[in-house]
Amino acid sequence: MHHEKPAIVLADLMMPNKSGAELVSNMKLDPMLADVPVLIMSAWPTTASEVGAEELLSKPIDVEHLVRSIRRYCH
């Protein structure tokens, strides 16, 4: 992410090496990445505010909702 700043990040809450919440936390502490919107996908009951993301998408993912969300945050 430091070589080319992403417009948006899509991440799963449960990932092998780092949780989505840890990823968001690390990004928010990095001045270069702090303003990058993050959409977290999860089958686990949680909220976007609990993990620090802009939005939480519940699995199974509704593709139309995903596309609308990406458009909302990538102007």
Side-chain angles (χ1 to χ4, degrees):
M1 285 193 249
H2 285 104
H3 297 288
E4 188 171 332
K5 183 177 177 179
I8 192 167
V9 171
L10 305 175
D12 200 311
L13 184 61
M14 305 301 270
M15 298 186 293
N17 297 321
K18 183 182 289 194
S19 75
E22 289 174 301
L23 174 68
V24 172
S25 177
N26 291 342
M27 288 177 63
K28 299 304 178 187
L29 293 173
D30 185 324
M32 182 180 162
L33 302 173
D35 64 339
V36 175
V38 181
L39 305 181
I40 293 287
M41 299 172 276
S42 180
W44 295 92
T46 188
T47 64
S49 61
E50 286 181 295
V51 295
E54 277 62 39
E55 191 170 334
L56 177 83
L57 303 168
S58 297
K59 289 181 180 179
I61 301 298
D62 177 306
V63 175
E64 290 178 13
H65 182 187
L66 174 62
V67 170
R68 281 193 308 272
S69 296
I70 291 170
R71 287 183 177 147
R72 180 178 313 122
Y73 295 105
C74 292
H75 347 160

